[in-house]
Amino acid sequence: MTDELIARAVEILRRGGLVAFPTETVYGLGADAENELAVRRIFAVKGRPATHPLIVHLPGAPALGAWASRVPEEAQALAKAFWPGPLTLVLPRTGRASDAVTGGQETVALRVPAHPLALELLHAFGGGLAAPSANRFGGVSPTTAGHVRADLGDEVDLILDGGPCAVGVESTIVDLASEEPAILRPGGVPREELERVLRRPLPVRGAGAVRVPGTRESHYAPRAGLVVAPLAELARRARALAAQGKRVAVMSPSRGELPGTIAHFQVPADPAGFARALYATLREIDQAGFEVIVAPEPPPEGVGLAVRDRLARASAPRRLY
Ligand code: AMP
Ligand code: MG
C-alpha cells in the first residue's frame, strides 16, 4: 500500500506535480527542486512572495555536496549530530539550486527530515524536494494531513498521510554561509544543543531576532486575534477581553482561576508538548469561531524559544497583501 503510494508520488513529482508529505516538523508542499515550473507552482498555490526562498529536502547528508559549493567543518558536524532531524543549514549554493528555489540568493537552505515517509519518498525520488509548509502564506502551518486538505485541497496532486507531526514547529535554520554562524529561525533543534556541538555561542539573527514592536511581520497567524502573556496573567487578560464582549478562548496547561464562562483549550505544560499541540490548537480555536486567543509565553529555553517566536509572529500586527 505504502510502496504503491510512494511510487505514485514519485511519478507525480517527476511530471512536475505537487505532493504534500509529512515531516517531523510540519507537513511540506513538495516539488522537484530542479524543475523551475514545479517550484513556481508551489509559490502560486501558497500565495507566497517569490522572494521567500524554499528549503530543499535531501534523502541524506551525502547529497549535501551536490547542492552546497562549500561545506565547512561546522556544517558537517551539525549534519552528523542532527540529521535526519529538524535542522536546516544555509550554505553557498551550487548551480543545482536555481534562483526560483533560493529567491535569487547565492545561498541554499538544506535539510534531511526525520519522518520515515518523507525519507522513503526522498530515497525513491532520488533528488531534492523543495518544500515549504503546505498551507497558504502567512497562516497557521499544517501538522496533520487533514490540515493540508482543508487549506489546499484540490490544488495539491497528492497528500501523503503520515499522522500528526511529532515536533510540530518548523526546523531551526542555521546560517553557515556568512562569516559568523547564526540562527535565522529558532525551531525544533534547541539552540543549546547546537551550541554544545559547535562549542561556541550561536546568536539568533534576522527573522528570529527581537525587533522593534510593530515592525515584526505577521506570520503563522490564526484568523482570531492572539494575545500572548505570562502564564500568571492569562486569567486577568482573558477576563478583561471577555468584559469587552469579545469571544475569548484561552490555551494553557490548566484552567487555573479561569471563570467557567471562558472557553479553555488544554495544551501540555512542557515546551515540547506545547510545540507539538500549538498549530492544531490554534486551528481548532479558529474553527470554533472565537475572536481572541490568549496564550502563555513559554520560557526561552529548548524548543520553548521556537514556540515564543511563532506566538510573537502570530500575534504581530497583520498586513494585508
Ligand atoms: P518555510 O519553508 O515556510 O518553513 O520557510 C523557509 C524558511 O527558510 C524561510 O524563513 C526562508 O526565509 C528560509 N530560507 C530558505 N532559504 C534560505 C536562504 N538561502 N537563506 C536564508 N534563509 C533561507
Ligand atoms: Mg510556512
Side-chain angles (χ1 to χ4, degrees), residues 67-154:
W67 293 85
S69 61
R70 192 168 48 80
V71 183
E73 241 168 68
E74 293 196 310
Q76 261 149 20
L78 291 179
K80 185 153 178 271
F82 300 107
W83 280 358
L87 174 69
T88 296
L89 301 177
V90 172
L91 293 165
R93 69 170 167 178
T94 62
R96 206 175 274 229
S98 66
D99 285 345
V101 166
T102 71
Q105 301 185 79
E106 288 308 313
T107 54
V108 62
L110 302 166
R111 164 167 121 84
V112 178
H115 196 288
L117 213 49
L119 285 172
E120 233 183 287
L121 177 66
L122 284 160
H123 280 289
F125 180 65
L129 291 179
S133 54
N135 60 300
R136 306 258 176 230
F137 182 71
V140 178
S141 301
T143 54
T144 69
H147 295 161
V148 180
R149 214 166 289 121
D151 279 4
L152 304 178
D154 294 343

Side-chain angles (χ1 to χ4, degrees), residues 149-167:
R149 214 166 289 121
D151 279 4
L152 304 178
D154 294 343
E155 294 184 66
V156 191
D157 299 307
L158 179 66
I159 301 172
L160 295 176
D161 189 344
C165 301
V167 174

Side-chain angles (χ1 to χ4, degrees), residues 25-26 46 48 51-57 88-91 101-103 105-110 131-135 137 141 170-171 173 175 184-185 207 219-220 310 313:
T25 60
V26 303
K46 278 190 61 91
R48 177 170 170 127
T51 48
H52 280 240
L54 304 178
I55 295 170
V56 177
H57 294 70
T88 296
L89 301 177
V90 172
L91 293 165
V101 166
T102 71
Q105 301 185 79
E106 288 308 313
T107 54
V108 62
L110 302 166
S133 54
N135 60 300
F137 182 71
S141 301
E170 292 77 358
S171 59
I173 302 179
D175 177 12
L184 300 182
R185 174 179 75 186
H219 209 108
Y220 313 103
R310 303 309 185 269
R313 292 209 244 171

Side-chain angles (χ1 to χ4, degrees), residues 210-218 312-313 315-319:
V210 180
R211 296 192 210 164
V212 185
T215 65
R216 215 192 269 117
E217 223 174 287
S218 168
R313 292 209 244 171
S315 62
R318 316 279 159 93
R319 199 197 297 166

